[in-house]
Amino acid sequence: MIRYYTDKGTIDPELVDGQALKVARQLVVRYNDRIDQRNSIKSSQLRKFYGDVKSLELTWSNQQKSDAAFLGTLPQIKMLKAKVAYAKGRGVVTHYFAQWIGDNVDQISKPDDFKAFLLHFEAVVGFCYGEGLKD
C-alpha cells in the first residue's frame, strides 16, 4: 500500500523522493546497463497516462477545485483503472504500471488524496526520464 501521508497528516516527502524513485526503477528496467525495451514502459504511454491525470486536474481546477467538483471528477479518476487495464490487454503497458495505477486510484477518495497522487506521479515521471527513459 502506498503511503500518502505522515503521521501528522501532511503529504509524506518520501512519496516524491524514495518511493517515486523505486517506482521509476520498476518501470524502467535495465539489463546489462541498457534499458530493456520489452519490459519497460514506453515513454508515450507514460506521457499519455500522466497527461490524462493532468487533464483531470485541469477539469477540477476549472471548477475552483471545490469538493463538489471533485466528486464530479472522481468517477473519471476511477476510470483510469479501466483505461490502464485496456492498455495492459493490448500489451502497451507493463503489469507493474497497471498495478501501480490501480493501487493509487483505489486510494483516492478525497481532494487531498488526488493532490498527493499528482505529486507522486509527477515525481515518478521525472525519475523515469532520469533513469534513461527516452522519447
Side-chain angles (χ1 to χ4, degrees):
M1 187 165 128
I2 297 163
R3 180 181 161 158
Y4 285 160
Y5 307 104
T6 66
D7 294 336
K8 295 179 181 179
T10 59
I11 292 176
D12 189 345
E14 269 300 295
L15 190 65
V16 296
D17 190 16
Q19 286 183 32
L21 178 58
K22 181 180 174 187
V23 171
R25 287 183 173 157
Q26 291 291 320
L27 295 174
V28 182
V29 179
R30 292 189 165 277
Y31 180 75
N32 288 338
D33 204 32
R34 296 181 69 188
I35 294 176
D36 180 353
Q37 297 295 332
R38 285 184 8 166
N39 294 309
S40 294
I41 191 160
K42 307 293 183 265
S43 63
S44 60
Q45 291 301 313
L46 185 64
R47 282 193 321 271
K48 179 207 176 302
F49 279 96
Y50 182 67
D52 287 351
V53 171
K54 291 299 283 183
S55 179
L56 292 171
E57 179 191 28
L58 183 62
T59 298
W60 178 42
S61 291
N62 286 339
Q63 300 171 22
Q64 286 72 45
K65 289 193 174 183
S66 70
D67 288 349
F70 177 77
L71 292 176
T73 306
L74 188 57
Q76 294 172 300
I77 294 169
K78 298 296 183 177
M79 186 66 159
L80 287 168
K81 287 176 61 175
K83 289 180 178 183
V84 81
Y86 176 73
K88 182 178 174 250
R90 290 182 45 231
V92 296
V93 299
T94 64
H95 172 77
Y96 182 84
F97 182 74
Q99 184 69 47
W100 177 76
I101 288 285
D103 289 348
N104 277 279
V105 167
D106 285 345
Q107 285 190 225
I108 299 170
S109 62
K110 60 186 191 253
D112 286 345
D113 298 339
F114 187 50
K115 290 176 192 174
F117 173 59
L118 284 163
L119 287 173
H120 182 53
F121 202 165
E122 182 178 354
V124 167
V125 170
F127 280 123
C128 281
Y129 282 94
E131 288 295 304
L133 190 66
K134 300 217 182 322
D135 290 334

